[in-house]
Amino acid sequence: MSGPVSTAWRRLRLELILWFVHRRTLLLERGAIAALNARSDLRLHPGSGDALKAGWVNVDIHPAADLRLDVRRRWPFRDGSASEVFAEHLFEHLGWPGATDHFLAEARRVLKPGGWLRLSVPDLARHVGAYVERD
């Protein structure tokens, strides 16, 4: 099989794997997630891949992450639980508007009042320009 149908099947397979890993983590790591939600110093590093940050909760579908979650889905952290959210070279890989809007909404939801979100992208001018032009 080749062409658009093959591409669609590969994407569907990947999405099913991501969904399964995300759900599996939510079920198997309930205790760890509850402990994280009880912390007062929660700092989240979504999209960490294998570039783990010490002192942060590294969240990614990558096996090296502390929590293997799909950041395009609801985050298992309580409202106002994190003092910081840092995403480096993740935002440009999210689909717009759906996944980017969801990511920003989740970051806002979990941040404490006065908490901060720091995004790093390789070409900020390009992304801001595309946003302004609704591209």
Side-chain angles (χ1 to χ4, degrees):
M1 192 180 331
S2 65
V5 172
S6 177
T7 300
W9 277 112
R10 279 193 303 273
R11 290 185 83 168
L12 176 60
R13 181 178 179 271
L14 176 61
E15 287 300 321
L16 288 171
I17 290 169
L18 294 176
W19 177 85
F20 177 79
V21 171
H22 183 89
R23 293 296 303 161
R24 184 175 185 271
T25 298
L26 292 177
L27 292 172
L28 296 180
E29 301 294 339
R30 275 187 274 197
I33 292 168
L36 290 171
N37 277 319
R39 289 175 46 178
S40 63
D41 63 340
L42 185 61
R43 298 187 311 166
L44 300 175
H45 181 208
S48 64
D50 62 355
L52 308 180
K53 293 176 68 67
W56 293 71
V57 178
N58 299 284
V59 178
D60 198 291
I61 209 73
H62 193 282
D66 300 322
L67 287 176
R68 294 188 68 196
L69 297 168
D70 183 349
V71 297
R72 300 172 306 161
R73 302 189 189 290
R74 183 170 170 83
W75 301 359
F77 308 106
R78 63 180 167 75
D79 296 1
S81 61
S83 58
E84 304 171 55
V85 175
F86 172 70
E88 182 175 43
H89 298 291
L90 164 72
F91 202 66
E92 68 271 15
H93 297 287
L94 299 175
W96 186 85
T100 54
D101 291 352
H102 173 76
F103 178 89
L104 292 172
E106 283 297 286
R108 182 176 186 195
R109 180 183 65 77
V110 302
L111 279 171
K112 294 178 179 182
W116 58 266
L117 167 64
R118 183 170 143 199
L119 298 174
S120 172
V121 294
D123 186 355
L124 181 60
R126 178 176 149 243
H127 295 285
V128 170
Y131 175 78
V132 168
E133 296 297 322
R134 299 191 180 279
D135 180 13

